Amino acid sequence: LGNTKKSLELYLQAKKIAEAEDDQNLVNVLLNNLGTIYQEMGDYQKSLQYLNEALQNGRKRKNKLGVAIDLYNIGSVYMDMNRLNESETHLRESLQISQEIKDNTGIAMSLLMLSQIQKMSNSFDEALVLIRKAEAMVNTIDSKELKRSVYEEYSYLYSSLRNYPKASEFYRKADKLRKSIHNNKSAKRIAEMRTQYQTEKKEREIENLKHQQTVKNLQLRKKDFQRNIVIAGLMIGVLIIILLYRQSRMKSSANRLIQSKNLELQKAYEKLEQVAATDPLTKLSNRRDVMKKISYELDRFKRYKRVFAVIIGDLDDFK
């Protein structure tokens, strides 16, 4: 909501409670969140204070994943401060730990930011080497957001190298992914928009018919007026009545048609959504729906750093 002051107040209260309960995992999450908020506010010293505290706690508890994340966040702050050497030092350590624990997401993110550092230092060849490694790692994980970031970085690099065809190629790839991500998040909204589009299309067709009919009537009126003013007046009155009657019938028919099509579209979308998300035999979630739910849990994990589990059960002799 943009109320940073209130957000910081609540996070600090939560931190005191977590410390009192000795929930160190939650303490580190809150320290990272506080550091991120201060980074967005441009108060880099405060940001580094909280992030370094999180890093020290992680090292004490030998939480390698947490340490890798803390190092990455600190490197991000130093990059914003344009202290590239310190940023690179923290990012390379984060990369090393991520490689040790085989955290492909962390590896890809560190490589991506290291590439950005090389670009800012005008070391474009080294930046390309790093972004290619990041791309290879992103291809091993299911993250459209990271892949989009990689393509955008390619576009910036090739643009800096004045290789505009390549820059344009990767920009289009990034734009395609951006639209795909938006589409996935807005499936329901898109269905509504499609229905609305069909309705508006029918309304435009009706308006076009009205316009064509009006033009025809005006031509008839002009011809009749030239022949006989009195007869033309009578004909105009008759034509207006006929037009109003036709418009009324056309509008009523069009409304029924639009309602029918809307109902058909709604049923089709509901059926497609059910078919796309469930197994036809068991009516349970299929692979796509399960992956969607796992992706949702991964997003929650990335935000709050709380682990989750996937339990897989096998029904014997179920064929």
Side-chain angles (χ1 to χ4, degrees), residues 133-288:
K133 291 180 180 179
E135 181 185 20
M137 194 57 59
V138 167
N139 288 335
T140 67
I141 57 181
D142 183 21
S143 175
K144 289 185 178 181
E145 288 282 2
L146 268 179
K147 186 171 286 189
R148 177 185 60 81
S149 298
V150 167
Y151 288 158
E152 286 179 347
E153 188 63 18
Y154 264 125
S155 180
Y156 297 144
L157 283 172
Y158 280 119
S159 180
S160 300
L161 292 167
R162 299 187 178 182
N163 188 341
Y164 300 117
K166 276 284 188 183
S168 178
E169 174 190 342
F170 281 104
Y171 178 83
R172 285 194 296 270
K173 288 182 177 181
D175 188 56
K176 184 178 179 181
L177 275 176
R178 188 183 302 109
K179 291 175 181 177
S180 173
I181 293 166
H182 175 74
N183 288 344
N184 290 338
K185 292 180 179 178
S186 308
K188 184 177 179 181
R189 175 58 182 155
I190 289 172
E192 293 172 355
M193 290 172 64
R194 285 176 178 170
T195 304
Q196 183 180 355
Y197 169 77
Q198 293 294 334
T199 304
E200 291 175 353
K201 183 179 178 182
K202 292 295 180 184
E203 289 175 350
R204 286 195 299 269
E205 290 174 357
I206 293 168
E207 289 299 323
N208 187 43
L209 288 172
K210 288 180 182 178
H211 177 72
Q212 291 176 6
Q213 188 66 43
T214 301
V215 171
K216 188 181 293 185
N217 290 340
L218 287 172
Q219 291 173 345
L220 289 172
R221 286 176 59 187
K222 182 178 180 180
K223 187 176 180 179
D224 291 342
F225 181 78
Q226 291 172 344
R227 290 178 180 178
N228 192 299
I229 295 176
V230 176
I231 296 174
L234 294 172
M235 288 295 294
I236 289 171
V238 172
L239 287 171
I240 290 174
I241 293 171
I242 293 172
L243 177 61
L244 290 173
Y245 175 71
R246 286 182 177 178
Q247 287 176 345
S248 175
R249 289 192 62 184
M250 287 170 62
K251 187 173 182 180
S252 176
S253 176
N255 284 338
R256 288 196 299 271
L257 180 61
I258 290 170
Q259 290 174 0
S260 174
K261 292 298 180 183
N262 284 346
L263 185 60
E264 290 176 11
L265 282 171
Q266 183 179 352
K267 289 180 178 178
Y269 290 144
E270 289 174 356
K271 186 174 181 180
L272 280 173
E273 187 174 354
Q274 181 182 4
V275 169
T278 59
D279 175 74
L281 177 61
T282 63
K283 305 303 180 185
L284 299 175
S285 292
N286 61 16
R287 181 180 183 274
R288 178 183 295 177

Side-chain angles (χ1 to χ4, degrees), residues 56-70:
Q56 291 173 9
N57 289 347
R59 290 192 193 278
K60 285 179 183 178
R61 295 186 297 112
K62 297 181 180 180
N63 180 359
K64 288 190 174 183
L65 177 60
V67 168
I69 292 171
D70 296 335

